[in-house]
Amino acid sequence: MSDKSFVRTEMLGEQAPPLTEVGIVKWMRANLFSSVSNSILTLIGIYAIYYLASHLVPWFWYSIWNAGSLSECREIREAAYGDVPSACFAVITERWNQLLFGFYPQHLYWRPVLAFVLLFVALAPVLFNNLPRKMFIFSAIYPFLLVWLIWGGTIWGPMAVAAGFVVGWYAAKILGDRFGAIAAVGGGILAAIIWWMFLAGPIAGGLSSVLPIGIEAVTSKDLGGFMLSVIIGVTGIALSLPIGILLALGRQSNLFFIKSICVGFIEFIRGVPLITLLFTASLLLNYFLPPGTNFDIVLRVIIMVTLFAAAYMAEVIRGGLAALPRGQYEAADALGLDYWKAQQLIIMPQALKISIPGIVNTFIGLFKDTVLVVFIGLLDPLGLTGAIRATTEWNGIYWELFVFVGFLFFICCFSMSRYSMYLEQKLRTDHR
Amino acid sequence: MSVISDETGKPFNLSMLVYDTRYRSITIQTFAFILFMAVLAWLVMNTYFNLQALGKDFNFGFLGARAGYDINQRLIEYTNDSSHLRATFVGLLNTLLVAFLGCILATIIGVIAGVLRLSNNWLVAKLMTVYVEGFRNVPLLLWIAAIFAVFTEAMPQPRAFRGDNPAANMLLGDSVAITNRGTYIPAPTWGDGSMFVVIVFLLSMVGIWVFGRWAKKRQDATGEILPTFWIKLGIFFLPALLVFFILGRPIGLDYPELKGFNFSGGIHMRNSLLALWLALSLYTGAFIAENVRGGILAISKGQTEAANALGLRSGRTMSLVILPQALRVIIPPLISQYLNLTKNSSLAIAVGYMDLRATLGGITLNQTGRELEAMLLMMVIYLVLSLLISGAMNIYNSSVKLKER
């Protein structure tokens, strides 16, 4: 036999994979050109991007940031670049303070800024539960601090209102020890209402004449811009969640009358556009209240926006309640928990967890809806774009203002939705 | 031995109203009822005294009075001599028009965007994500204002179309002109015998439905699958086109033409309507896209695999297995998106579109000074509208819902 072998005795070295199976080529083949229809879609997509970019990139690239008016902007552009599309962001550098603060006095800008910074301190323990629980004390104080910082005036006004809660709580505690839970709730609410209606005003007035601690007052008509949106949005968000929970519980309740009231309220609010409710707040509220009552327009708007969001919130939470297995309710009953204890310990933690995406969507919707206040004469960011356009310097400027305002809203709403995703991930306890 | 206590023998006393669960619900409800009635009475009394102080009364007589203002966009006959009631109707129809158009376009956009977002084409999926996030996170009012500005500021003036070498051109073979005064599209003209074409077309629609049922029955009986799509497509077009040409093309198109300073002929779609329609559709479409995506994702992968194992082609897998199940998840949120779109159409105020809010809640309210009546009426109309839409969609929903024993 010859020593010819038909089988290789040593291994060949590994070869590199074919060019089409590695790196960017493989990725493109898999993700962009996997089939004919996919290739067509990709080409359409590339064309769409090219079309948008060919318009937007030069517009941003040649943007002008320093000018006193639109015509000046155009002159600068003619001199520097010739006839090219160019954004005139000078309007933002010149009017950013109006877009952010409305007509709030310039030397007091530190107050809304401070309130905005403190907002995150107040929100921190709500958002991240590994922070010390004592920070909730500040969160509870914050609403009154916000009102005082924004509107200014005497410190005793917000303090007197805050004292109402303390009074109610003590009344509830004292009554609760003696007569039980129902008397405690009723008595607490009654005491707080009595305090607010009859005692808070004179006491605040008396204290401020004795100890005039206060800062410069700012009226509601000077509020505006993005600050106004944040104020309405944040208060609406904070107030609509508890009201929404109560409405949802009312709707699920087996007390017929309570249920009817809640269903009627929710369906009415959800059936009409927010804009009609805002008009009601500005035009009709004077009819429904005792003659001579006249309270702040921003407060009225906040009430209406809150009620509006609360009805949507109630439906979202009802969905969460309905999604809970019946066994959870029965288990709570079997443990001997009463209604409120069962809600607090068993039902709500689970129902709220299920409804997080819906709740945050409602929040985002509420925040976006705050621009509708422009229709009842308040100067929200969008209303201010109109006001800026009405001046002779900036007549005819559109896109730069829209881009700026849209960007502000986008940041806020987008981060809210991302936070809700994070929260969903964190609270997920099922096994996947 | 255990002792069974018998509570029923206990005499009734007042504290049982609060502490006995049998009576407590009645106590609470009675209390709530009294409170509710008291608040209601308080509001009505306040309104009564306030109206009296202002020297006003509460009646809807103003609806019969002459309106005295013009409405530029109307679907029914209306002049400024018509009554406020008629103006209200014109506004209501305009609201319905934009809501109807918006729901259709939003559904189309939403379904396409939702499906494409799940596509395995990376670029298109990312583009759709940008679209959805961009529209969902910016207020609708801003989009309406921006799109309206696109139409009024960025579009050419009618005179730009004039001359041998015009600065702007009409689209689609000289049939559509987009100007800053509105968009002009061809209008159909109905000649003699056009009735027949329409009737034949309607009959072929019935034919499609009958054929669909017959084909389904046949498939159930014999297992044979007909190429229903192509046959239906044929029934849709062929008879109507045949009659159309036999009768000598009775239905024509009236093309818009530049005459003087403006276009004439064709249908003039106002910028206000177009901007509102597009903005509402794009905005709501982004939300619908998310619902569609969620619906498709909610169907477990096993369903697709089971369908593949049965040997179904991918198109049939989609239409017979995935979609019917996904629809059940998609439709309830879709209903609320339609409702939202209808309610959001009241933002027409931003572009001056004459919808219900602009007629009844705007000019009529300001002219007559009847805030209370006009606002109440407007709310009731919107409420009825919402209830009707949700009612109709709920009927549809229950027809596709999972039928359980």
Side-chain angles (χ1 to χ4, degrees):
Chain A
M1 267 185 72
S2 69
D3 58 346
K4 260 187 187 161
S5 161
F6 292 94
V7 181
R8 237 180 214 290
T9 49
E10 77 278 6
M11 294 288 282
L12 277 176
E14 275 182 21
Q15 287 210 328
L19 202 61
T20 53
E21 286 301 312
V22 282
I24 189 148
V25 179
K26 176 180 160 61
W27 183 86
M28 276 172 66
R29 277 172 73 100
N31 290 312
L32 296 179
F33 302 102
S34 59
S35 66
V36 176
S37 58
N38 246 343
S39 310
I40 295 172
L41 276 180
T42 306
L43 291 180
I44 295 174
I46 290 174
Y47 177 73
I49 292 175
Y50 166 76
Y51 181 83
L52 284 175
S54 67
H55 283 78
L56 291 180
V57 169
W59 191 69
F60 278 106
W61 185 256
Y62 296 118
S63 55
I64 290 155
W65 291 81
N66 273 311
S69 68
L70 189 59
S71 48
E72 201 185 321
C73 240
R74 285 181 181 143
E75 281 163 21
I76 294 175
R77 184 197 66 191
E78 288 292 331
Y81 311 115
D83 190 22
V84 289
S86 140
C88 182
F89 284 112
V91 68
I92 309 295
T93 46
E94 206 193 67
R95 299 294 179 103
W96 63 272
N97 48 4
Q98 244 178 47
L99 285 168
L100 289 185
F101 299 106
F103 295 103
Y104 207 81
Q106 294 232 357
H107 62 283
L108 298 178
Y109 279 171
W110 63 272
R111 275 162 40 181
V113 171
L114 180 65
F116 190 66
V117 172
L118 288 178
L119 169 68
F120 288 98
V121 181
L123 276 179
V126 184
L127 296 183
F128 305 102
N129 59 1
N130 46 7
L131 290 169
R133 297 292 85 189
K134 276 192 178 157
M135 283 180 76
F136 271 118
I137 298 174
F138 181 73
S139 307
I141 298 172
Y142 180 74
F144 307 102
L145 195 63
L146 171 81
V147 170
W148 185 59
L149 276 176
I150 298 290
W151 278 273
T154 168
I155 198 173
W156 298 112
M159 292 261 280
V161 175
F165 289 99
V166 180
V167 168
W169 190 70
Y170 269 109
K173 205 174 169 193
I174 293 167
L175 287 170
D177 290 345
R178 287 206 181 164
F179 303 106
I182 292 181
V185 174
I189 293 174
L190 201 67
I193 288 175
I194 289 173
W195 169 270
W196 284 324
M197 286 188 74
F198 303 110
L199 297 172
I203 287 178
L207 278 171
S208 58
S209 59
V210 177
L211 263 180
I213 304 174
I215 46 179
E216 194 177 327
V218 178
T219 56
S220 281
K221 72 172 174 36
D222 290 335
L223 301 185
F226 200 62
M227 177 183 77
L228 183 68
S229 290
V230 173
I231 293 173
I232 298 174
V234 168
T235 19
I237 285 170
L239 295 175
S240 64
L241 186 60
I243 300 177
I245 292 177
L246 287 182
L247 280 172
L249 289 179
R251 192 166 184 170
Q252 295 287 77
S253 145
N254 42 20
L255 305 177
F256 174 74
F257 187 70
I258 307 259
K259 186 177 173 176
S260 324
I261 294 179
C262 290
V263 172
F265 178 81
I266 292 171
E267 292 303 327
F268 170 72
I269 298 273
R270 276 161 44 94
V272 299
L274 175 58
I275 203 170
T276 59
L277 292 176
L278 290 178
F279 276 116
T280 307
S282 76
L283 293 174
L284 295 190
L285 227 52
N286 286 340
Y287 285 108
F288 298 141
L289 296 174
T293 349
N294 191 13
F295 65 97
D296 196 83
I297 182 77
V298 174
L299 186 60
R300 291 192 217 175
V301 167
I302 289 177
I303 292 174
M304 278 303 172
V305 169
T306 305
L307 292 181
F308 186 76
Y312 282 83
M313 196 70 77
E315 284 299 277
V316 169
I317 294 168
R318 186 170 73 110
L321 287 173
L324 273 196
R326 177 118 201 90
Q328 297 291 329
Y329 293 86
E330 283 161 1
D333 285 345
L335 286 173
L337 297 176
D338 69 8
Y339 180 77
W340 294 108
K341 274 258 158 41
Q343 292 296 344
Q344 188 192 336
L345 298 172
I346 312 261
I347 309 298
M348 271 304 149
Q350 300 185 67
L352 288 182
K353 192 178 88 180
I354 299 173
S355 14
I356 285 173
I359 291 176
V360 177
N361 276 344
T362 314
F363 285 165
I364 294 175
L366 186 158
F367 188 59
K368 285 188 295 181
D369 280 343
T370 55
V371 293
L372 298 196
V373 298
V374 65
F375 295 130
I376 55 170
L378 291 178
L379 285 172
D380 79 308
L382 218 53
L384 280 161
T385 64
I388 290 173
R389 210 176 296 129
T391 60
T392 47
E393 296 95 18
W394 298 110
N395 195 359
I397 195 156
Y398 284 90
W399 316 112
E400 292 82 355
L401 294 170
F402 287 154
V403 166
F404 181 68
V405 174
F407 183 66
L408 286 179
F409 273 98
F410 182 84
I411 291 177
C412 293
C413 299
F414 192 68
S415 39
M416 269 197 260
S417 77
R418 289 297 122 149
Y419 174 75
S420 98
M421 283 176 164
Y422 153 80
L423 204 59
E424 259 176 275
Q425 288 291 331
K426 199 179 72 174
L427 294 181
R428 178 172 286 166
T429 48
D430 56 346
H431 303 287
R432 289 212 168 205
Chain B
M1 228 182 92
S2 64
V3 180
I4 298 165
S5 62
D6 190 11
E7 293 267 345
T8 46
K10 242 180 167 180
F12 179 80
N13 62 25
L14 268 180
S15 69
M16 281 167 79
L17 279 179
V18 176
Y19 294 111
D20 192 319
T21 43
R22 284 169 299 176
Y23 304 116
R24 191 199 283 173
S25 69
I26 298 172
T27 317
I28 294 176
Q29 293 197 63
T30 317
F31 194 68
F33 181 73
I34 293 169
L35 205 66
F36 179 71
M37 282 300 160
V39 171
L40 205 65
W42 183 69
L43 288 178
V44 172
M45 289 289 278
N46 281 338
T47 314
Y48 177 74
F49 285 122
N50 281 322
L51 282 175
Q52 217 172 34
L54 290 169
K56 287 182 176 177
D57 57 350
F58 184 78
N59 79 59
F60 287 93
F62 72 95
L63 285 174
R66 178 178 176 273
Y69 60 91
D70 286 315
I71 299 178
N72 54 23
Q73 151 109 28
R74 49 188 180 265
L75 294 176
I76 54 173
E77 207 49 48
Y78 172 86
T79 62
N80 58 13
D81 279 330
S82 308
S83 64
H84 282 298
L85 188 63
R86 188 121 183 127
T88 304
F89 265 119
V90 175
L92 177 60
L93 285 176
N94 283 344
T95 294
L96 289 177
L97 173 73
V98 75
F100 179 71
L101 291 175
C103 284
I104 293 175
L105 188 60
T107 313
I108 296 172
I109 295 175
V111 170
I112 292 176
V115 171
L116 285 184
R117 231 190 134 177
L118 289 173
S119 139
N120 48 15
N121 188 320
W122 181 85
L123 185 74
V124 173
K126 282 285 171 287
L127 272 181
M128 287 303 140
T129 310
V130 170
Y131 156 69
V132 168
E133 294 295 348
F135 272 85
R136 270 158 51 95
N137 289 319
V138 171
L140 171 60
L141 193 58
L142 189 66
W143 284 118
I144 294 179
I147 293 179
F148 187 61
V150 168
F151 277 108
T152 54
E153 299 299 314
M155 290 304 158
Q157 293 187 335
R159 67 154 185 252
F161 289 84
R162 191 158 337 113
D164 291 330
N165 189 15
N169 283 309
M170 291 169 78
L171 306 173
L172 299 175
D174 273 0
S175 59
V176 175
I178 304 175
T179 74
N180 65 350
R181 292 193 205 166
T183 296
Y184 298 83
I185 57 171
T189 52
W190 308 95
D192 289 336
S194 56
M195 264 321 272
F196 287 107
V197 183
V198 174
I199 289 172
V200 167
F201 181 71
L202 291 177
L203 280 179
S204 55
M205 297 298 266
V206 177
I208 288 175
W209 182 71
V210 171
F211 172 75
R213 288 192 60 134
W214 177 78
K216 176 114 180 30
K217 224 174 240 173
R218 194 181 135 96
Q219 188 190 343
D220 288 347
T222 63
E224 198 181 333
I225 302 172
L226 293 171
T228 41
F229 177 76
W230 295 107
I231 296 177
K232 278 180 182 170
L233 203 68
I235 303 178
F236 187 83
F237 281 112
L238 287 182
L241 279 180
L242 218 61
V243 176
F244 177 71
F245 283 110
I246 287 172
L247 289 174
R249 296 197 267 182
I251 303 174
L253 285 176
D254 176 24
Y255 290 101
E257 264 180 273
L258 187 63
K259 277 181 188 152
F261 290 107
N262 213 340
F263 280 90
S264 67
I267 296 175
H268 175 205
M269 297 181 81
R270 283 171 191 285
N271 281 333
S272 51
L273 171 64
L274 276 177
L276 188 66
W277 178 32
L278 278 182
L280 283 173
S281 313
L282 286 171
Y283 182 80
T284 315
F287 285 86
I288 293 178
E290 282 299 88
N291 294 338
V292 169
R293 190 175 75 105
I296 294 176
L297 284 179
I299 307 305
S300 75
K301 201 158 168 49
Q303 296 287 330
T304 321
E305 287 164 357
N308 288 343
L310 284 175
L312 291 181
R313 279 183 276 121
S314 65
R316 286 196 172 271
T317 307
M318 199 53 160
S319 65
L320 294 175
V321 179
I322 307 294
L323 269 188
Q325 299 185 68
L327 271 185
R328 282 183 207 127
V329 185
I330 294 170
I331 284 178
L334 194 65
I335 299 174
S336 64
Q337 290 308 333
Y338 286 164
L339 286 175
N340 281 345
L341 193 148
T342 310
K343 282 179 286 174
N344 282 337
S345 70
S346 62
L347 297 185
I349 185 174
V351 288
Y353 178 71
M354 296 298 277
D355 73 330
L356 180 66
R357 204 223 55 82
T359 55
L360 175 66
I363 305 177
T364 294
L365 185 151
N366 287 335
Q367 276 190 5
T368 58
R370 300 255 172 202
E371 298 106 354
L372 197 58
E373 292 91 337
M375 290 297 293
L376 277 180
L377 190 61
M378 192 164 82
M379 285 186 172
V380 167
I381 292 177
Y382 272 116
L383 202 57
V384 171
L385 211 60
S386 297
L387 292 179
L388 282 181
I389 293 175
S390 71
M393 294 300 291
N394 278 330
I395 291 174
Y396 177 62
N397 186 30
S398 59
S399 73
V400 297
K401 206 165 67 178
L402 193 62
K403 307 277 191 304
E404 281 175 302
R405 266 168 297 159

